[in-house]
Amino acid sequence: MQRLENLFKHPGRRVLPTSTTRYLPALIIISGLIGLIPQIFSNAYIHTLGSLIMIYGVLAISIDILAGYIGLLALGQSAFFGFGAYTCGYLLTACKWPHEWAILVALIASGILALLFGLITLKTWGNTFFMITIALVQVIWGLAFKLTPITGGDNGMGGIRRPTFFGIKFANSINFYYLLFAVFILVIFLAYRFVNSPFGLTMHGLRENRRRMRALGYNIYAHKLTAYVFAGLLAGLSGIMYALFNRFVSPSDITTMASSTAFLMALLGGCGTLVGPIIGSIIITLLKNYISSYTARWTMVMGGLYVLVVMLSPGGVVGAYHTICAAISRKRKGKVSGKIPIEERKDTP
Amino acid sequence: MKKCIALVLTCILVLASLGTAAFAEKETIKVGVLTPLTGLTAANGVDVSAAMELWLETHDHKLGGFPVEIIVEDDEADASASLTKAQKLVEMDEVDIIIGPSMTAGLYSVLSYCEEMEVLLFTPNAAGDDATMLQASDYLVRSAPSSSHLTHPLADFAANELGLKKVALLGYDFLYGYETTGGFQKVFEDNGGQVIWKQLIPNNLTDYSSIISSIPFDEVDALVYVLSGGNAMQFAKQLAEYGVTDMDIKVLAGIASLEETFLSEISPECVGFYTSQNWHSVADGTNARKEEMMAAFTKKTGNIVSTNTAQYWVAMEILDQALAGVEEYSDAVDMVQKIRAGKYDTLFGEITFDQYGEAIFDVYIRELQQIDGQLWNIPVKTYESVSQFWTYDPDTFMNGERYSATYPPVK
């Protein structure tokens, strides 16, 4: 049986290169298009979907860093998402803190949670780590559900207000969209620098062959922990964005289903590419919200899509793009060099 | 002559304008319905969709004289999905009224949004007490019972009609469970009873044998449980297997613990269990409107009308009657005030509203009986015009300690 983390090892550099630099144009174009949504569409519901794409895109990037770059199958990112959202919501509603402090403390709290959890669990790999991360989600979900005086229990936590920064009121949905967009761009920039730094290259090494990395003298545990905390911070930040956007948080936002949806976004778009999770977020958010308006069987459509992607293109949309490009390139090279494709050779005397 | 012509022309113009007003088609009202079409409770949403279709068919696509367009969206029984779909209904479909969502957390998330967008929210199902108490809104009307709304009369029945003195109480370990069991305990103990054993359990258990075996049956007159759906079915099954149905104790099953939709799955040994509900599906000739709807729905879908389906239908009935005297629908707050001030003839019987937007209706204490081999919840007592505050003063009730995991405590 194939180990789970092997799913994310790149089958060949021709298909999915380990460097993310080649995806920079795609990242810029797709992010730019997301930023243009309020200019192109006046309908506020489209802005809502654009906001959700950015929020879940950040969450999916946090998963991509772990699964795509280091080979850690983390299904527990919604725990940090929820922890960030609830902490920010609680500080704003119950403690009446100003937004600057509430956001900062919620972000730090998510990072500390990731650090504590990482210290305990990162001794493991693969299926074991995968199962432990699910347990983390269950713990945080249970706390959100049971700590009714703090979290509101199954009623959720409401009354979260949007911020005013530099005299700009972000209660206005267009203004808030651009605030989300600014954070989204910042996250992409940080994640891009992170995975393309020398540290990022060691993450690639860990994913491909951790024994060799250990033999070369790298501290695997410290590298994993650093990446895990960074991903936890991003997940916490997406939770904070979500709390401020929705102005409401409930335990249903922290379920394993929420985690697996974000995981599928990364998988569908293409892990280890940074642009893939954003593409996955776009596809899943749009499909989920549009198909469900036309058919109650929308989960079946989504399920079918996942199965198709896994069977036909394990590298996701980005992987499929590379496969097609490689095929076209081979065909062209074949013609230029005068080589005859195999199927044509049979007919050649 | 000129004066005569001017007078005639004026008369023609006035009559023409009157005629236009009298015969003008009212503007279409768009109603968005939020109900789960996927997930564990999808069956409820499918029935609600069918009921909405039935409404259009049987009411000539009208609601209170207005042409009506109904748009059903899947709220996935999830708070964030409810909010996103509410945004879609308001911003893309431009609905005037939202009926739903199905869950309390969804209600709170959608309510804030409806207040911001000034849209009327009519919730026929979500039960959280506070929605029509401390968090009551000018934009909200609820025709469904709040969580403790139905356990108050059940407790009164237990104490004063059955004469029970000591009971064991079981419910969910989250807010809905606190409010339902808390409501029972408060009224029961205020009427001289005592809860001597209470357990709050998670909603994802599949085996209740250890819980059932820990209940002190020899010390209590009755077991009271408030569960729902598959949990309630499994619990009732295991009670029968454990032999509780043969013991000399009463069993009271709160609210949706013995829903009509799954009575066929319930063991006949559970005959004699009591439930409280503002709905029963017995065609006893007392409510022609109800019997007509039940027959039409069963003919259309092959299913019997569940409480959930009836609640959405009642929401439509109330809107239909409230809108009947309205020429133009424009302001949600005005409409909410109008709905709250009215009296409505519905599947649930006569409904009025309190000042917080919660319905006041008759509550039936029903006993599970077997008739011609089929199980039925037969009403044995009716509590008329039951308020969410039961017989307590609203201000005292709301400002007192709220039902929680630790309140009321087991003494």
Side-chain angles (χ1 to χ4, degrees):
Chain A
M1 187 182 157
Q2 194 182 22
R3 289 173 68 87
L4 272 173
E5 73 262 29
N6 290 344
L7 283 172
F8 298 93
K9 284 190 173 177
H10 291 160
R13 295 193 177 199
R14 280 177 302 167
V15 178
L16 274 177
T18 50
S19 168
T20 308
T21 49
R22 66 182 302 179
Y23 300 115
L24 188 59
L27 265 173
I28 292 170
I29 292 168
I30 292 173
S31 307
L33 287 174
I34 292 172
L36 285 174
I37 283 176
Q39 303 294 327
I40 301 168
F41 302 99
S42 59
N43 191 299
Y45 180 60
I46 308 288
H47 305 166
T48 298
L49 295 183
S51 302
L52 289 174
I53 285 169
M54 289 189 278
I55 291 165
Y56 290 122
V58 172
L59 182 61
I61 286 173
S62 84
I63 289 170
D64 188 31
I65 285 169
L66 296 175
Y69 287 91
I70 207 164
L72 279 172
L73 283 168
L75 205 62
Q77 293 307 94
S78 71
F80 307 122
F81 177 91
F83 195 72
Y86 269 108
T87 307
C88 180
Y90 183 75
L91 294 176
L92 287 172
T93 55
C95 304
K96 309 287 181 198
W97 280 24
H99 280 86
E100 298 84 346
W101 286 106
I103 291 168
L104 185 65
V105 171
L107 193 59
I108 293 169
S110 303
I112 291 172
L113 182 70
L115 177 69
L116 292 175
F117 196 72
L119 283 171
I120 302 164
T121 60
L122 284 170
K123 296 281 182 192
T124 60
W125 282 93
N127 299 356
T128 315
F129 179 77
F130 181 75
M131 296 306 292
I132 294 174
T133 56
I134 294 175
L136 170 68
V137 177
Q138 286 298 108
V139 169
I140 300 296
W141 175 84
L143 289 173
F145 210 66
K146 292 293 297 290
L147 291 176
T148 308
I150 296 172
T151 63
D154 59 328
N155 279 358
M157 180 188 284
I160 300 168
R161 60 196 191 283
R162 286 181 183 168
T164 299
F165 292 137
F166 310 113
I168 303 168
K169 287 184 179 174
F170 291 100
N172 176 306
S173 61
I174 298 283
N175 288 353
F176 192 74
Y177 188 93
Y178 286 117
L179 178 66
L180 283 181
F181 182 65
V183 176
F184 181 62
I185 294 296
L186 179 69
V187 166
I188 290 174
F189 173 75
L190 290 175
Y192 182 81
R193 292 299 300 266
F194 187 75
V195 299
N196 287 299
S197 64
F199 179 87
L201 291 175
T202 60
M203 293 201 307
H204 301 166
L206 283 176
R207 182 193 59 210
E208 299 300 330
N209 195 331
R210 62 177 182 270
R211 283 180 187 162
R212 183 177 291 178
M213 293 298 286
R214 187 179 288 127
L216 288 169
Y218 285 98
N219 184 339
I220 292 178
Y221 182 68
H223 275 77
K224 281 164 68 181
L225 189 61
T226 308
Y228 192 73
V229 171
F230 181 69
L233 281 168
L234 292 190
L237 180 62
S238 65
I240 294 166
M241 291 160 73
Y242 179 81
L244 294 172
F245 168 72
N246 243 6
R247 287 166 283 181
F248 185 86
V249 195
S250 78
S252 66
D253 299 320
I254 326 174
T255 56
T256 45
M257 180 60 83
S259 262
S260 48
T261 303
F263 195 84
L264 286 167
M265 286 176 182
L267 197 67
L268 186 67
C271 272
T273 62
L274 280 191
V275 73
I278 301 169
I279 294 171
S281 175
I282 293 170
I283 294 172
I284 291 181
T285 305
L286 294 183
L287 281 182
K288 184 179 169 183
N289 287 288
Y290 276 108
I291 296 178
S292 62
S293 294
Y294 296 102
T295 173
R297 307 258 185 263
W298 64 270
T299 46
M300 202 180 276
V301 177
M302 302 282 281
L305 181 69
Y306 299 146
V307 171
L308 276 178
V309 167
V310 170
M311 286 177 68
L312 301 178
S313 175
V317 174
V318 176
Y321 169 77
H322 280 289
T323 308
I324 292 165
C325 286
I328 292 169
S329 173
R330 275 199 301 274
K331 201 169 180 181
R332 278 182 185 165
K333 279 180 185 170
K335 279 182 182 170
V336 169
S337 62
K339 284 181 184 171
I340 302 165
I342 292 167
E343 55 272 25
E344 289 177 30
R345 281 182 205 165
K346 289 173 188 169
D347 304 327
T348 309
Chain B
M1 183 63 185
K2 279 182 181 176
K3 279 185 179 176
C4 282
I5 292 170
L7 189 64
V8 169
L9 282 173
T10 309
C11 288
I12 289 169
L13 280 171
V14 168
L15 286 171
S17 64
L18 282 174
T20 309
F23 297 109
E25 180 80 346
K26 289 178 176 177
E27 269 192 41
T28 299
I29 283 194
K30 286 188 176 183
V31 176
V33 175
L34 290 171
T35 187
L37 296 169
T38 50
L40 293 174
T41 51
N44 288 342
V46 172
D47 274 4
V48 167
S49 296
M52 292 299 115
E53 282 176 25
L54 182 65
W55 177 276
L56 294 174
E57 290 164 13
T58 53
H59 291 77
D60 194 24
H61 291 253
K62 293 274 173 67
L63 186 69
F66 289 82
V68 65
E69 187 181 333
I70 300 177
I71 302 153
V72 180
E73 285 290 349
D74 180 11
D75 71 10
E76 303 171 42
D78 174 90
S80 55
S82 297
L83 180 57
T84 307
K85 288 301 168 62
Q87 288 168 333
K88 188 251 175 191
L89 287 171
V90 173
E91 290 159 11
M92 188 161 266
D93 301 320
E94 297 178 340
V95 299
D96 303 293
I97 298 165
I98 291 179
I99 300 179
S102 58
M103 302 285 285
T104 300
L107 168 62
Y108 287 122
S109 67
V110 173
L111 179 56
S112 306
Y113 174 71
C114 284
E115 286 172 341
E116 183 189 332
M117 302 303 290
E118 300 182 350
V119 172
L120 194 164
L121 179 61
F122 199 124
T123 180
N125 198 25
D129 277 358
D130 265 350
T132 48
M133 290 188 190
L134 293 178
Q135 296 187 40
S137 165
D138 289 342
Y139 291 88
L140 178 70
V141 180
R142 175 161 63 186
S143 56
S146 60
S147 300
S148 57
H149 206 149
L150 297 176
T151 49
H152 290 152
L154 185 67
D156 182 84
F157 180 76
N160 297 323
E161 300 289 329
L162 297 177
L164 304 175
K165 296 294 178 199
K166 291 181 177 178
V167 301
L169 185 56
L170 182 95
Y172 285 128
D173 192 9
F174 53 92
L175 206 56
Y176 173 75
Y178 308 154
E179 290 175 349
T180 49
T181 56
F184 182 91
Q185 188 174 351
K186 181 175 171 62
V187 172
F188 187 63
E189 293 185 341
D190 285 351
N191 282 274
Q194 189 187 357
V195 172
I196 64 164
W197 180 94
K198 182 176 176 179
Q199 189 152 354
L200 300 168
I201 59 171
N203 67 343
N204 52 0
L205 288 183
T206 52
D207 180 24
Y208 297 91
S209 52
S210 61
I211 292 166
I212 293 171
S213 61
S214 68
I215 299 170
F217 288 109
D218 51 344
E219 296 174 35
V220 296
D221 306 320
L223 165 67
V224 183
Y225 70 93
V226 188
L227 301 175
S228 57
N231 299 319
M233 283 167 63
Q234 180 67 9
F235 188 75
K237 183 182 168 204
Q238 289 194 267
L239 279 181
E241 287 170 0
Y242 192 81
V244 175
T245 46
D246 300 327
M247 295 179 186
D248 187 24
I249 64 162
K250 301 282 185 192
V251 179
L252 284 74
I255 310 178
S257 299
L258 287 173
E259 256 290 318
E260 274 77 3
T261 45
F262 59 73
L263 281 185
S264 57
E265 307 294 324
I266 294 291
S267 164
E269 290 165 340
C270 296
V271 161
F273 283 19
Y274 292 99
T275 50
S276 60
Q277 200 41 291
N278 59 336
W279 163 258
H280 68 84
S281 56
V282 180
D284 55 5
T286 56
N287 188 334
R289 170 188 286 271
K290 180 169 96 175
E291 288 171 27
E292 192 182 321
M293 185 270 174
M294 288 197 304
F297 185 81
T298 304
K299 187 180 173 189
K300 181 178 174 67
T301 64
N303 299 336
I304 61 168
V305 179
S306 67
T307 309
N308 182 69
T309 308
Q311 284 167 337
Y312 276 79
W313 186 272
V314 166
M316 292 296 282
E317 285 182 313
I318 291 170
L319 285 170
D320 185 54
Q321 292 167 42
L323 284 165
V326 175
E327 277 305 319
E328 186 186 9
Y329 178 84
S330 56
D331 188 85
V333 175
D334 282 352
M335 195 63 219
V336 167
Q337 291 305 324
K338 187 172 171 53
I339 291 171
R340 288 181 184 179
K343 186 186 281 188
Y344 305 95
D345 185 17
T346 72
L347 295 190
F348 293 160
E350 187 179 278
I351 284 185
T352 55
F353 288 89
D354 63 22
Q355 60 175 306
Y356 305 97
E358 173 66 31
I360 297 171
F361 41 64
D362 294 348
V363 174
Y364 307 102
I365 303 298
R366 313 172 310 175
E367 184 181 7
L368 191 65
Q369 295 179 11
Q370 192 169 25
I371 300 170
D372 298 332
Q374 197 176 345
L375 292 175
W376 292 90
N377 284 313
I378 305 292
V380 292
K381 182 174 173 65
T382 304
Y383 284 87
E384 291 181 354
S385 303
V386 177
S387 154
Q388 62 176 332
F389 302 106
W390 184 231
T391 56
Y392 302 109
D393 172 61
D395 289 333
T396 312
F397 190 93
M398 287 192 287
N399 295 322
E401 194 163 356
R402 311 312 306 277
Y403 300 136
S404 68
T406 52
Y407 180 81
V410 176
K411 294 162 190 165

